[in-house]
């Protein structure tokens, strides 16, 4: 291991070129290169990269820990609020951090800004941006879909535009692109710390940034200049060796890792890629890998600073940042001898293309075994739709490789047999591939070019080629494929893979097709083998920025007015939640005992519900409608114990609330995995829930529940989940809530003797105050009044 690390250091010094000078000059903390004032981006005048402060913080932490650090640790510890006094133990301590930036997408920004407004501050304290990408439904094509979305969502867009102008927030208009691509193209920088209100925020790890998905309440904390709290993650190392070739793409690395670690294997950990194979990847390829790391539950994923990242910074007109990063290069990778809590090794030279799914992103199958898996599992073999793009795979490199395959088919006189859609990740990518011809190739191939937005990846897809309930297969280059996510059809078998395989399989129209070995027939009936994809990582003629879609905050914000109509069904000013009454909670019904996978999509669906993301009461009508009731194996059908009647989950919860009855939910493993959406925590709180009791939680959802004053609790013995029946009543001894101590639940079976179960929790002392005060926001407001 030591020898390989020494080789890696040699390789790094060669790759970084002039960075070698930077490495020799990093002898002391006070080196002059770090005193430079380099702007974080090209849009904001007064926000700078503070490598000097990061270096000083790291020096303090090094003197305390006296051990080699991983790259992930370096970024986190260099952003500590109190590097001298902070307790530091991986997997145990709660770190208080000072992120460099906040970013919100439009669906989550509504609630975040409404919460920020209630805090009564005149301006955000830290650099923040809002990105309009989630509310544009794919229907007939880019321009018309965008125009339709702007009209339908005018009230929300006007609210966000004026609120951003009022509170000094950068605003990216509809059509600008997906938040994660805009961040990569404009705001991400090596060694920085960013939080974003979307679970795929880790995309920026492709530029060596520690970018973490959070709920809106966390974003509000940072906007209000409070330290942000994160349980010190463990660090999983993924060592890459060798070099990819042929049909293997960067996406295959994370598809393979997802198969190894599963959807919960990364929970509570940062995945850190290292090894000589890193140097063979483009920055956008690295971003793809980090983006989909969200699907294994990882806090984030990241790559060390490397030549691919430098080249990307240069191509996106940020050479000064690249040069500055070279002067700080010593701290932009792991220390020699750094230890990982778990190590995965992947030889890129041996890595096969993979396809993951259906219904879960961790069911990984190499292409050589996929056709057999289709037969064995009786998956629908006909491929109905192929979809490329999204925040995961819409780079210039992705589009160029995909277009090379489409052009190969066209040269043989054939086109896509399946329906085919293309989602450019940003206006910059769209304009560049329009100029360079890839877009024209896709359209000639039979593709529909969608708006620069999330679209089908998040369920914003008005799909009409199959009826709901009809079993069918689709394949995409997206990141997430839970049941019903893309089109609202629970019978759709959704598979995720690289854009290369999507295009190839779309030509054949069948899941049995393997482009590495199987031949196609040209227009004359002659057999041919598709050539492996080719494409440049960066455009030779540079990027075309396309239309200007950015709104900077005005110099004078005093006259800006933010209006929220009291009669709006899209936006609703928030009222504070009630504080805890200081008593134990007795005789609580179980609203639903959910069985199996319960993602945030099951708890608070997206798709048509996205329009209500700014109106808590209205969106609460989708609470837990996708969760499976263990009592009957059905979704959205539970028994109201007060009436004996079955009804929808939100209807029963509303009836309990009206009658003053608080309730709990019982859940299975990894409850709340998937999206970062805090509505999945806000809704149960709004409708009268007190606690969510599960075998285990996904990280973001657990934190979101705490922020809203709820109790996320886990069975100390996971087997106790099976002892609970849906019609039991429970007592929660809330007065026992203390840091690091178990919590008693008394179970009252409908017919039987009461018994006790021990519950665990991860509350620290500050988070217990959130519960006592009713929410984190209430706690912030209470502190403001002092």
């Amino acid at each position: 291991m030591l020898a390989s690390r020494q080789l890696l250091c040699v390789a790094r010094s060669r790759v970084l070129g002039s960075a070698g000078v930077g490495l020799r000059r990093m002898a002391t903390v006070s080196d002059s290169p770090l005193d430079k004032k380099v702007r974080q981006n090209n849009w904001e005048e007064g926000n700078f990269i503070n490598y000097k402060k990061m270096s000083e913080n790291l020096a303090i932490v090094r003197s305390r820990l006296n051990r080699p650090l991983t790259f992930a640790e370096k970024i986190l510890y260099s952003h500590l609020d109190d590097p001298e006094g902070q307790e530091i133990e991986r997997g145990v301590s709660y770190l208080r951090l000072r992120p460099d930036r906040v970013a919100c997408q439009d669906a989550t920004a509504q609630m975040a800004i409404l919460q920020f407004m209630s805090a009564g501050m005149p301006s955000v304290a830290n650099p923040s941006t809002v990105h309009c990408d989630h509310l544009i439904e794919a229907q007939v094509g880019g321009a018309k879909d965008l125009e339709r979305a702007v009209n339908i969502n005018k009230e929300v867009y006007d609210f966000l535009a004026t609120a951003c102008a009022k509170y000094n927030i950068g605003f990216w208009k509809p059509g600008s692109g997906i938040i994660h691509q805009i961040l990569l193209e404009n705001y991400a920088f090596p060694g920085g710390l960013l939080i974003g209100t979307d679970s795929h925020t880790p995309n920026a790890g492709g530029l060596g940034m520690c970018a973490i998905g959070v709920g809106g309440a966390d974003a509000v904390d940072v906007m209000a200049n409070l330290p942000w709290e994160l349980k010190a993650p463990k660090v999983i190392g993924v060592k890459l060796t060798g070099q990819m070739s042929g049909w293997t793409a960067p996406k295959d690395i994370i598809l393979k890792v997802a198969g190894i670690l599963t959807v919960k294997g990364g929970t509570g950990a940062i995945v850190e890629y290292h090894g000589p194979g890193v140097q063979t990847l483009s920055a956008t390829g690295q971003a793809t890998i980090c983006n989909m790391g969200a699907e294994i539950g990882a806090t984030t994923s990241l790559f060390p600073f490397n030549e691919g990242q430098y080249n990307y910074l240069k191509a996106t007109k940020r050479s000064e940042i690249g040069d500055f990063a070279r002067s700080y290069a010593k701290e932009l990778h792991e220390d020699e001898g750094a230890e990982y809590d778990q190590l995965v090794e992947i030889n890129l030279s041996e890595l096969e293309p993979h396809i993951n799914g259906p219904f879960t992103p961790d069911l990984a199958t190499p292409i050589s075994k996929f056709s057999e898996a289709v037969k064995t599992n009786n998956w629908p073999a006909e491929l109905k739709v192929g979809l490329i793009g999204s925040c995961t795979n819409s780079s210039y490199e992705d589009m160029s490789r995909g277009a090379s395959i489409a052009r190969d088919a066209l040269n043989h006189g054939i086109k896509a047999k399946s329906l085919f859609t293309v989602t450019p990740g940003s206006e910059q990518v769209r304009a560049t591939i329009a100029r360079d011809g890839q877009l024209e190739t896709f359209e000639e191939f039979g593709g529909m070019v969608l708006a620069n937005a999330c679209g089908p990846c998040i369920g914003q897809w008005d799909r009409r080629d199959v009826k709901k309930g009809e079993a069918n297969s689709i394949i995409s280059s997206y990141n997430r494929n839970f049941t019903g996510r893309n089109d609202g059809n629970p019978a759709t078998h959704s598979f995720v893979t690289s854009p290369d395989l999507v295009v190839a399989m779309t030509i054949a129209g069948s899941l049995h097709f393997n482009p590495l070995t199987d031949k196609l027939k040209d227009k004359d009936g002659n057999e041919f083998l598709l050539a492996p994809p080719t494409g440049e990582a960066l455009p030779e003629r540079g990027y075309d920025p396309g239309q200007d879609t950015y709104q900077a905050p005005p110099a004078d914000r005093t006259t800006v007015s933010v209006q929220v109509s009291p009669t709006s069904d899209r936006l609703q000013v928030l009222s504070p939640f009630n504080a805890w009454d200081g008593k134990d909670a007795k005789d609580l019904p179980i609203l639903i005992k959910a069985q199996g996978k319960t993602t945030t999509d099951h708890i608070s669906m997206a798709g048509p519900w996205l329009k209500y993301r700014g109106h808590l009461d209205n969106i609460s009508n989708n609470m837990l409608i996708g969760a499976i009731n263990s009592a009957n194996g059905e979704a959205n059908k539970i028994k109201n114990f007060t009436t004996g009647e079955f009804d929808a989950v939100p209807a029963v919860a509303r009836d309990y609330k009206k009658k003053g009855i608080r309730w709990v939910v019982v859940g299975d493993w990894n409850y709340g995995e998937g999206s970062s959406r805090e509505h999945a925590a806000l809704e149960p709180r709004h409708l009268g829930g007190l606690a969510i009791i599960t075998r285990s939680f996904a990280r973001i959802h657990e934190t979101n529940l705490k922020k809203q004053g709820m109790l996320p609790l886990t069975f100390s013995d996971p087997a106790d989940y099976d002892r609970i029946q849906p019609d039991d009543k429970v007592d929660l001894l809330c007065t026992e809530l203390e840091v690091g101590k178990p919590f008693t639940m008394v179970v009252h079976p409908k017919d039987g003797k009461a018994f006790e179960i021990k519950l665990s929790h991860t509350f620290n002392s500050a988070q217990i105050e959130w519960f006592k005060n009713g929410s984190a926001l209430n706690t912030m407001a209470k502190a403001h009044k002092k």
Side-chain angles (χ1 to χ4, degrees):
M1 179 65 76
L2 181 59
S4 66
R5 287 189 185 281
Q6 288 171 338
L7 286 172
L8 176 56
C9 291
V10 171
R12 226 184 235 114
S13 66
R14 287 173 181 164
V15 163
L16 291 174
S18 62
V21 178
L23 287 168
R24 288 193 294 274
R25 294 169 69 181
M26 281 297 296
T28 67
V29 169
S30 58
D31 273 341
S32 58
L34 301 188
D35 288 324
K36 287 179 67 177
K37 293 192 84 173
V38 175
R39 286 162 56 185
Q40 284 189 15
N41 55 76
N42 294 325
W43 301 101
E44 299 162 348
E45 293 293 336
N47 297 320
F48 302 97
I49 298 172
N50 199 344
Y51 283 150
K52 177 83 175 292
K53 177 65 173 173
M54 294 182 207
S55 181
E56 290 169 352
N57 284 357
L58 265 185
I60 293 167
V61 173
R62 282 187 190 283
S63 68
R64 292 178 53 203
L65 298 183
N66 195 30
R67 64 169 172 81
L69 301 176
T70 65
F71 180 37
E73 288 181 297
K74 289 183 182 185
I75 298 182
L76 292 178
Y77 302 161
S78 68
H79 287 82
L80 286 172
D81 181 53
D82 177 16
E84 283 111 342
Q86 172 71 61
E87 180 185 319
I88 300 173
E89 184 180 350
R90 289 194 331 213
V92 177
S93 309
Y94 278 87
L95 306 178
R96 289 166 63 83
L97 302 162
R98 292 287 181 178
D100 297 295
R101 306 194 59 81
V102 179
C104 305
Q105 39 94 334
D106 50 355
T108 50
Q110 298 168 60
M111 194 59 69
I113 289 176
L114 286 165
Q115 290 178 85
F116 180 78
M117 287 168 62
S118 70
M121 299 181 70
S123 168
V124 294
N126 287 296
S128 304
T129 52
V130 166
H131 305 259
C132 295
D133 61 1
H134 270 57
L135 303 179
I136 303 166
E137 184 183 54
Q139 191 179 72
V140 295
K144 288 185 178 178
D145 289 347
L146 178 58
E147 182 182 5
R148 179 168 165 265
V150 168
N151 291 330
I152 291 173
N153 301 307
K154 185 177 187 306
E155 179 185 12
V156 171
Y157 291 146
D158 287 349
F159 164 70
L160 292 174
T162 55
C164 286
K166 181 72 174 176
Y167 297 110
N168 200 31
I169 300 169
F171 180 68
W172 288 85
K173 302 172 190 175
S176 59
I178 305 172
I179 175 172
H180 312 304
Q181 291 304 313
I182 298 297
L183 292 176
L184 195 73
E185 292 172 357
N186 297 275
Y187 297 104
F189 64 88
L193 176 63
L194 174 145
I195 62 168
T197 59
D198 189 280
S199 56
H200 294 107
T201 300
N203 190 80
L207 272 181
M209 188 173 217
C210 188
I212 300 175
V214 298
D218 278 353
V220 172
D221 283 355
V222 178
M223 288 175 176
N225 208 31
L226 295 176
W228 173 58
E229 241 182 27
L230 175 73
K231 190 171 187 179
K234 293 186 176 182
V235 186
I236 298 172
V238 178
K239 183 181 179 183
L240 303 179
T241 59
Q243 184 166 355
M244 296 181 300
S245 61
W247 285 88
T248 305
K251 183 69 161 285
D252 295 306
I253 297 173
I254 183 57
L255 294 174
K256 175 74 171 177
V257 169
I260 295 169
L261 295 179
T262 78
V263 291
K264 56 180 186 276
T267 303
I270 290 178
V271 178
E272 179 173 312
Y273 293 85
H274 63 283
V278 166
Q279 310 298 338
T280 67
L281 303 175
S282 65
T284 53
Q286 294 167 53
T288 290
I289 296 162
C290 293
N291 178 297
M292 195 176 161
E295 306 319 311
I296 58 173
T299 301
T300 192
S301 302
L302 74 167
F303 279 81
F305 181 53
N306 55 71
E307 187 72 356
Q309 293 177 15
Y310 182 87
N311 292 339
Y312 185 77
L313 287 167
K314 186 176 180 180
T316 50
K317 297 182 170 60
R318 292 177 289 169
S319 292
E320 192 176 9
I321 293 175
D323 292 336
F324 197 31
R326 282 180 165 176
S327 70
Y328 188 58
K330 176 177 178 288
E331 305 298 3
L332 296 177
H333 60 81
E334 79 285 0
D335 288 338
E336 185 176 324
E339 293 185 0
Y340 296 101
D341 296 285
Q342 183 178 349
L343 185 64
V344 174
E345 298 196 35
I346 296 176
N347 183 341
L348 302 182
S349 302
E350 299 173 355
L351 181 64
E352 263 194 86
H354 275 63
I355 299 175
N356 287 25
F359 307 123
T360 185
D362 59 354
L363 180 57
T365 308
I367 187 65
S368 61
K369 297 178 181 177
F370 188 69
S371 178
E372 186 59 38
V374 173
K375 291 176 189 171
T376 302
N377 294 286
N378 200 28
W379 297 330
E382 181 190 359
L383 179 61
K384 290 287 188 180
V385 190
L387 309 97
I388 67 167
S390 86
C391 64
T392 321
N393 276 113
S394 58
S395 67
Y396 186 83
E397 181 177 31
D398 291 327
M399 294 299 179
S400 297
R401 285 171 63 97
S404 76
I405 301 166
R407 178 52 61 192
D408 191 11
L410 289 168
N411 289 343
H412 285 87
I414 59 174
K415 298 183 178 183
K417 188 173 287 187
S418 309
L419 295 177
F420 179 60
T421 71
V422 180
T423 304
S426 69
E427 169 60 11
Q428 179 166 276
V429 167
R430 185 210 62 78
T432 306
I433 62 174
R435 180 198 68 194
D436 291 353
Q438 294 94 332
L439 215 55
E440 184 181 357
T441 295
F442 287 136
E443 290 177 324
E444 185 183 345
F445 179 66
M448 177 192 291
V449 180
L450 304 177
N452 311 324
C454 301
C457 185
I458 61 162
Q460 284 284 46
W461 185 15
D462 183 16
R463 188 181 181 193
R464 299 181 180 182
D465 64 294
V466 296
K467 294 177 182 177
K468 191 166 184 177
E470 180 184 339
N472 72 100
S473 291
I474 65 174
I475 192 165
S476 76
S477 67
Y478 303 163
N479 44 39
R480 191 166 283 165
N481 61 343
F482 298 133
T483 303
R485 175 173 173 86
N486 302 123
D487 60 3
N489 181 3
T492 293
H493 293 57
S494 177
F495 299 88
V496 292
T497 188
S498 66
D500 307 342
L501 283 192
V502 173
V503 176
M505 298 184 88
T506 303
I507 300 168
S510 170
L511 294 185
H512 289 304
F513 180 63
N514 177 355
L516 283 74
T517 59
D518 299 344
K519 292 182 178 179
L520 295 165
K521 288 186 178 180
D522 66 15
K523 62 180 173 54
D524 299 319
N526 299 313
E527 291 188 337
F528 74 99
L529 197 66
L530 285 170
T534 58
E536 295 299 319
L538 298 166
E540 190 177 336
R541 292 192 285 162
Y543 284 105
D544 182 338
Q547 297 179 35
D548 182 7
T549 54
Y550 177 67
Q551 172 192 291
D556 181 8
R557 295 179 286 107
T558 56
T559 58
V560 179
S561 176
V562 182
Q563 297 294 326
V564 180
S565 168
T567 60
S568 172
D569 72 340
R570 300 286 301 272
L571 298 163
Q572 178 187 43
V573 175
L574 297 173
S575 299
F577 291 129
N578 292 331
W580 175 49
D581 62 8
K583 301 175 183 176
D584 292 333
K586 301 291 184 72
D587 210 32
L588 304 174
I590 296 169
L591 180 70
I592 182 173
K593 181 185 178 185
Q595 70 177 25
K597 192 183 283 286
T598 307
T599 71
T600 48
D601 279 297
H602 295 102
I603 304 166
S604 176
M605 286 187 177
W609 292 95
L610 283 169
K611 65 182 179 181
Y612 296 123
R613 284 283 180 87
H615 197 295
L616 180 55
D617 193 58
N618 282 347
I619 199 169
S620 293
N621 288 323
N622 79 358
M623 184 191 75
L624 284 160
I625 62 176
I628 301 301
N629 181 6
S630 69
N632 54 19
E634 297 184 47
N636 205 26
K637 186 178 179 181
I638 61 171
K639 191 173 184 178
N640 184 327
F641 87 93
T642 67
T643 65
E645 301 293 323
F646 281 86
D647 207 339
V649 180
V652 175
R654 285 188 186 278
D655 188 54
Y656 288 172
K657 182 179 180 181
K658 181 180 173 184
K659 294 171 179 173
I661 301 168
R662 304 207 70 181
W663 46 264
V664 303
V665 167
V666 173
D668 216 323
W669 294 104
N670 209 29
Y671 184 94
E673 68 176 281
S675 166
S676 69
R677 68 189 63 145
E678 66 179 328
H679 298 78
L682 280 161
E683 292 171 31
R685 181 70 164 103
H686 175 64
L687 294 184
L690 174 65
I692 311 293
I693 305 158
T694 72
R695 294 192 206 245
S696 68
F697 282 101
R699 175 190 63 86
I700 298 176
H701 186 60
E702 182 183 25
T703 301
N704 286 346
L705 288 166
K706 291 178 184 177
K707 289 271 184 179
Q708 303 309 334
M710 290 199 71
L711 293 170
L713 306 167
T714 57
F715 294 105
S716 299
D717 179 358
D720 284 339
Y721 168 89
D722 296 316
R723 299 176 66 192
I724 306 290
Q725 300 305 314
D727 55 0
D728 292 345
K729 296 281 186 65
V730 301
D731 301 338
L732 290 179
L733 306 191
C734 302
T735 52
E736 291 185 358
L737 183 60
E738 289 184 52
V739 176
K741 294 188 177 179
F743 187 105
T744 304
M745 177 171 72
V746 182
V747 182
H748 299 279
K750 188 174 183 181
D751 301 305
K753 186 179 179 182
F755 59 92
E756 291 187 357
I757 281 178
K758 286 299 180 183
L759 303 176
S760 301
H761 65 85
T762 60
F763 280 88
N764 61 29
S765 56
Q767 293 169 345
I768 288 176
E769 292 304 306
W770 299 345
F771 172 69
K772 290 179 177 178
N773 293 322
S775 71
L777 201 60
N778 288 359
T779 305
M780 185 195 303
K782 185 177 177 181
H784 245 338
K785 291 175 184 176
K786 290 181 180 178

